[in-house]
Structures are given as structure tokens and as C-alpha cells.
Amino acid sequence: MSFAVRLVIARCSVDYIGRLTAHLPPATRLLLVKADGSVSIHADDRAYKPLNWMSPPCRLEEQPGVWTVVNKAGEELRITIDEVLHDFSYDLGVDPGLVKDGVEADLQRLLAEHITTLGEGYTLIRREYPTAIGPVDILCRDASGGTVAVEIKRRGEIDGVEQLTRYLELLNRDPLLAPVSGVFAAQQIKPQASVLAADRGIRCVTLDYDGLRGIDDSDGKLF
Amino acid sequence: MSFAVRLVIARCSVDYIGRLTAHLPPATRLLLVKADGSVSIHADDRAYKPLNWMSPPCRLEEQPGVWTVVNKAGEELRITIDEVLHDFSYDLGVDPGLVKDGVEADLQRLLAEHITTLGEGYTLIRREYPTAIGPVDILCRDASGGTVAVEIKRRGEIDGVEQLTRYLELLNRDPLLAPVSGVFAAQQIKPQASVLAADRGIRCVTLDYDGLRGIDDSDGKLF
DNA sequence: GCCTTTATGTCGCCG
DNA sequence: CGGCGACGTAAAGGC
């Protein structure tokens, strides 16, 4: 019974006091209470994002006319209910979950497997090369033996260039590695990122995910 | 009729092909269709985030057993419906919307009104000072007449320091302004951000939002 | 627990 | 419409 979604249509007003203060004047809305304890208040727009919400772990206390939801950090959501227009619950059970393909991790794996995409004679040192400020996506060597740090993004934007710049700055302090050059690899690279990369001597490479996946027959996906 | 939330409980499987590829095996889920055209598929967990969704603007085509949602970019969500267990619609009407207080814009306004929080003799030049790479939160002068660029965050992290660094680099190319010094102001500043700022000669200032609001009696909020 | 990065991020503003 | 920055960003993974 407790493990069910609950859908309530109600005329209500809402106050949130937590990381910020927010208020919703009275109106008719959808209240969605999930088995994980979360509560969200939806209008008929804003895509899937609720107007207001409380994420689990939190506790919902239901009194006549007032729902109070609090979490451990002391954030509070107070829903004042003027009128309940619909109240329905259904036990969905546990969901098997989403299977994804084509996220950055997949790009990284594919590029590491086909590191010569970056150029003839390239060899992989390792993926997720650890540094004090975080892991470098791929560290490899070019044909002349020079070290190359690769930052991979699905969509290459200015932040990614900044990130690679920080890595390069750090890696070049290591006399065993230096000089380290940089490659910014992404399925799509925005012009400003490209300009910034050029300004910093970083090479940009556009990745073809389907192409990389196509030549990757290691797991028999090809046919 | 079309301007209503629609709540469907159904046993379904889902495929998304767009920015990535994703699949949901058959299970019972909540389908939420909003008047704005969005469709979201919820399990009984993950707080307010759906397992899968399509944001507006998009078009839902409903055939027996298959819903197809496509948007302009060619992304597609295909919902195969094995069994409808519940189907309910309700017209919520337009929502008056959320009123927020305490976000970065409020901090910026308060600091601009009390610019001497940064030091005796500071004077405001302007908020949102425009540059080619985006607006500087606050530009002001210190007691000695030197230009100061201020970047404001609720939570000061490394990205904010990078951002301010880019602004300073640009502003310092303008002979009418140079030399421009930097202040990184936030309600809370993370140690790494603090270290990076120090390394770049940027001063860090911790803001007290309630304190600033307290001395701000301009709109009679004090009592 | 703190730190990092990723995300189908989403959202809003402004040119 | 694209660029840019904020967000109650959330969530995942490493140390």
C-alpha cells in the first residue's frame, strides 16, 4: 500500500523553505507522491519538471488541509490543500530500469579501442589517467613518442577546453611526462570551444560515434 | 480537452532514439502527458525525474498499442503499450507560477546596494557590466580608484573562479579600465576555489545573505 | 564524506 | 534561434 504512486489533483498553495524561499499561490495542481518518499507538485507545463518538490529521503506528514514534507537537512515543503479533486494510488512495483547507449563512457571506450583515430602510430597509455585534480579521459602517445592528453565530450563546449587546459598545466609539471600536448575530442565541437582550443594549442578532433561503433566488432554487434 | 494533464498507468516498454539511445523493458509505469505537449514516463522512484521523457515542443501520435513522440530535432520516443490499467485526465488551467527569493540575482542586488561590504570607499560602476564574453556581475571602484570586477555566486566553486579569470583577462586589455582586480564573492566558498583564486590574485569575500538583507531597509522588509 | 565530472541536464535571459 | 550562465541543479563514481 505504501509502495505505490499516489496521484492527487488538488487546489493548493505551497511554501518551500530551504536552500531558497519559494511560494506558490493557490491553484489547481497535480501532486505526485512516489514510493521512494518524494513529493512533487506539477502544473500543466514545464515538461517533466515540477513547480516545487522534495526529494527523498524525506518524510510526509499528512494532516487535514496541510501536508508537511521535511528532509534531514531541515528543508521544508508545506502544501496547504484547499480542495481535493481527485486522489488515486497504484502499485507500480520495482522498475527494471533504463539501458543507455551512446553516453560519454561509450565514446571513451570506443576511442580507446581505436586510438589510431587520432592519428597513425598513436598508442594508448591508459583511460581515466589519475591526477590530483581528477582523471584525464585518455592518456596516450603519438607516433613520435610524445605524450598526449585527450578530453572527450559528447558535445564540445568551452568548459571542456578549460578542463583539458587544467590537466595539461598539471601534467606538464611532471618531467617524466612533459611535454604533454592536448586533444579535444567530441562528436560535435562548438565554434567558441574550437577557437579557445586553437588559442591554447589544443587540437580538436570530431568523433563519429556510429563510425567508431561500426569498426568495433569486438562484441559481435556488427551484424 | 487538449489542455489538461493526462495520467495513464500502463504496462509498457519504451525506446528513445535521440541524443543517445535508451531502452526500457516492459513494466508498469506512470505516463504523464501535459498540456504543453511533454510526455514523461515515471517509475515509483528517482524523485521527480522520469525514466524517460520528451520535452516540448513535440508531437504525440497515439495509435493502438503504440505512442510515438517526436520533436523538431528528430528525437523520437516510442512507447509500446501492452495494457492500460488507468487513464485519467484533468484540466488544471494556467498556473500563476513560482515566486523565489534568495537566488543569485537577489545576492547581486543586495551587494550592489551595499557595495562597501567589499571595503571602505568602494563605489558601484554598474551591475551586469557587458563584455564580449558575457556580463560581469558587478564592476566597481575601490577607495584608490582602481577598477574591480566582482563575480557573485551562491556557492563559490572552481568554475566561478575560471569565469572571473576570463573576465579579468578581457577587461585588463581595455586601457581605460586596466588594471582591473578581481573579487570572488559567495555565500560559501569551497577550499579549492579559494586556493585557485589566491593563486590568481583574486580576493575572496564571503557574503552573509541574511546580514545584507537585514541592513537593507529600502523596501521596508526589516520589520 | 568530500571531491570530481556527467547529464537526453533544464531553464531563463539577452542579442 | 544560438550563446551564456544559474540551478533548491541531481546523480554517479573515485578516493
Side-chain angles (χ1 to χ4, degrees), chain A residues 46 48 100 103-104 153-155 167:
Chain A
R46 288 163 182 80
Y48 68 73
K100 291 183 182 184
V103 293
E104 188 189 297
K153 297 279 183 219
R154 282 189 309 108
R155 286 191 271 179
Y167 288 140

Side-chain angles (χ1 to χ4, degrees), chain A residues 27-47:
Chain A
T28 303
R29 304 188 173 94
L30 164 67
L31 311 180
L32 171 56
V33 185
K34 286 189 176 184
D36 65 3
S38 63
V39 179
S40 41
I41 298 134
H42 285 264
D44 215 353
D45 57 2
R46 288 163 182 80

Side-chain angles (χ1 to χ4, degrees), chain B residues 100-136:
Chain B
K100 290 183 181 184
D101 174 47
V103 294
E104 189 190 294
D106 299 306
L107 270 179
Q108 190 193 108
R109 179 182 52 81
L110 284 171
L111 182 57
E113 285 171 7
H114 307 287
I115 194 69
T116 54
T117 302
L118 298 182
E120 187 130 9
Y122 273 66
T123 53
L124 181 69
I125 296 175
R126 72 164 288 182
R127 290 167 55 187
E128 301 286 347
Y129 181 90
T131 77
I133 56 172
V136 177

Side-chain angles (χ1 to χ4, degrees), chain B residues 100 103-104 133 151 153-155 167:
Chain B
K100 290 183 181 184
V103 294
E104 189 190 294
I133 56 172
E151 177 64 36
K153 297 280 183 213
R154 282 194 310 109
R155 286 191 271 179
Y167 288 140

Side-chain angles (χ1 to χ4, degrees), chain A residues 53-102:
Chain A
W53 70 92
M54 187 67 83
S55 299
C58 62
R59 205 159 48 82
L60 165 62
E61 193 153 336
E62 203 180 330
Q63 290 171 298
V66 184
W67 292 9
T68 308
V69 196
V70 291
N71 71 1
K72 226 177 273 186
E75 296 175 276
E76 180 177 334
L77 193 67
R78 182 175 297 243
I79 308 172
T80 305
I81 299 191
D82 301 321
E83 187 186 2
V84 174
L85 300 158
H86 189 75
D87 192 339
F88 175 77
S89 293
Y90 198 98
D91 186 353
L92 295 180
V94 178
D95 200 281
L98 190 68
V99 183
K100 291 183 182 184
D101 175 47

Side-chain angles (χ1 to χ4, degrees), chain A residues 161 192-204:
Chain A
V161 180
Q192 323 90 275
S194 182
V195 168
L196 185 62
D199 186 59
R200 303 203 172 153
I202 291 168
R203 180 160 73 101
C204 287

